[in-house]
Amino acid sequence: MHQELSPRAQRLRDAGHKLTHARLTVLRVLEESGREHLTSAEVLERVDGLDSSIGRASVFRALDLLTSLCLIRPTYIESSLTPKYVLLPDGHHHHIICTNCHRVIEFEDCSLDGLRAELEDRLHVRLTGHLLEFYGLCEACLEADQSV
Amino acid sequence: MHQELSPRAQRLRDAGHKLTHARLTVLRVLEESGREHLTSAEVLERVDGLDSSIGRASVFRALDLLTSLCLIRPTYIESSLTPKYVLLPDGHHHHIICTNCHRVIEFEDCSLDGLRAELEDRLHVRLTGHLLEFYGLCEACLEADQSV
DNA sequence: TTAGATGCAAATAGTTTGCATTTGT
DNA sequence: ACAAATGCAAACTATTTGCATCTAA
């Protein structure tokens, strides 16, 4: 029963929330999804696969809670229709979205530490994570049509 | 009838879409909203105020179209419940979201030109805009509770 | 002229709620 | 022990669709 807790689970508990089966299962699904971007429907489906006794409402409640703690972030990618839940793994997440074909290209490094320090200093805030999205044209779309 | 077109309207037309009354009205509502973040419900309401003959479906269709062109961006702020449509004014938008009270703090400058150039070069893409969100604690929440 | 966009109203998803019961701490 | 969280199913929103009509180019 007592596996070691993931850092995110610890943050949940530290913020005063109970580590319930439903919440830990949602977290596990998201953490096991790796670099995938899951929609709420996909999270529901996978949670159901792991334990069909967990109710839909609890999954939504868990997603809301994780979002409010900025442990995950709903964002609109891959066909602006439904939000996808993106883990904010070690506090940051970056991607490029092609305006034309809506492909998502992830990249690792971002040089935002300087900006973060400056904002913390100037605005008297403490910043722990970020999401950075670039919009533009991917290589394929650039080649396919120079006029797009 | 023919006022000069906003740059966004021009991009719509350049991408091969018709400049219809419904689309231009949605765009006008968003452009007149300034720094506000509007939900789809608020956009619907304001469009209805300007011209009640415009149907809800056309408003959603226009929002989808503007989103797919990355002229606006739905994002989750101010109570993760409903997405808010955020204009990407001159191609970029930045804010800080307080993890505790969900306040949104906007800031102007971001020093992403270097990163953009590097990504364009390395990944062979052309980048025209971006959205940058920082997560953390605002001044008030930091002061209120050092333990949060 | 005509492909593309619209408005309408009905259909569909997606999410939230109220409440009795269960669970984590 | 007991506040907090759950599962259920019903209620509710928000968004999408099908289609006949209209309109920007």
Side-chain angles (χ1 to χ4, degrees), chain B residues 83-100:
Chain B
K84 310 260 180 170
Y85 288 88
V86 170
L87 279 177
L88 296 172
D90 7 48
H92 54 149
H93 194 86
H94 328 93
H95 45 237
I96 294 167
I97 301 175
C98 178
T99 307
N100 190 56

Side-chain angles (χ1 to χ4, degrees), chain A residues 52-106:
Chain A
S52 63
S53 75
I54 295 172
R56 325 168 73 63
S58 299
V59 173
F60 281 107
R61 285 186 278 232
L63 290 173
D64 283 353
L65 180 60
L66 294 171
T67 300
S68 81
L69 294 171
C70 289
L71 292 171
I72 58 173
R73 191 78 194 145
T75 185
Y76 287 90
I77 50 182
E78 289 147 33
S79 96
S80 67
L81 302 169
T82 329
K84 310 261 180 170
Y85 289 88
V86 171
L87 279 177
L88 296 172
D90 6 48
H92 54 149
H93 195 87
H94 328 92
H95 46 235
I96 295 167
I97 302 175
C98 178
T99 306
N100 190 56
C101 71
H102 303 113
R103 184 192 317 248
V104 176
I105 303 161
E106 312 242 4

Side-chain angles (χ1 to χ4, degrees), chain B residues 29-57:
Chain B
V29 161
L30 288 165
E31 292 188 333
E32 287 180 354
S33 75
R35 319 200 116 281
E36 287 179 273
H37 301 128
L38 304 180
T39 59
S40 50
E42 286 161 342
V43 174
L44 282 167
E45 189 186 344
R46 294 187 191 196
V47 165
D48 192 62
L50 289 173
D51 182 343
S52 63
S53 75
I54 295 173
R56 324 169 72 63

Side-chain angles (χ1 to χ4, degrees), chain A residues 11 64 67-70 73-77 80-83 85 88 91 95-100 102 105-112 114-116 118-119 122-140 142 146, chain B residues 11 64 67-70 73-77 80-83 85 88 91 95-100 102 105-112 114-116 118-119 122-140 142 146:
Chain A
R11 274 205 46 205
D64 283 353
T67 300
S68 81
L69 294 171
C70 289
R73 191 78 194 145
T75 185
Y76 287 90
I77 50 182
S80 67
L81 302 169
T82 329
Y85 289 88
L88 296 172
H95 46 235
I96 295 167
I97 302 175
C98 178
T99 306
N100 190 56
H102 303 113
I105 303 161
E106 312 242 4
F107 62 94
E108 277 310 318
D109 52 305
C110 65
S111 35
L112 288 171
L115 177 60
R116 198 195 66 208
E118 190 239 301
L119 289 169
R122 179 155 58 85
L123 303 172
H124 309 104
V125 294
R126 168 124 62 248
L127 302 177
T128 52
H130 63 255
L131 172 67
L132 173 59
E133 294 183 334
F134 277 101
Y135 313 116
L137 294 173
C138 70
E139 187 167 18
L142 271 176
Q146 293 298 341
Chain B
R11 274 205 45 204
D64 283 352
T67 300
S68 80
L69 294 171
C70 289
R73 192 79 193 145
T75 185
Y76 286 90
I77 51 183
S80 68
L81 302 169
T82 330
Y85 288 88
L88 296 172
H95 45 237
I96 294 167
I97 301 175
C98 178
T99 307
N100 190 56
H102 303 113
I105 303 160
E106 312 241 4
F107 62 93
E108 277 309 317
D109 51 304
C110 66
S111 35
L112 288 172
L115 177 59
R116 197 194 69 207
E118 190 241 300
L119 289 169
R122 178 155 59 84
L123 303 172
H124 308 104
V125 294
R126 167 123 63 248
L127 302 176
T128 53
H130 63 254
L131 171 67
L132 172 59
E133 293 183 334
F134 276 101
Y135 313 115
L137 294 173
C138 70
E139 186 166 18
L142 270 176
Q146 293 297 341

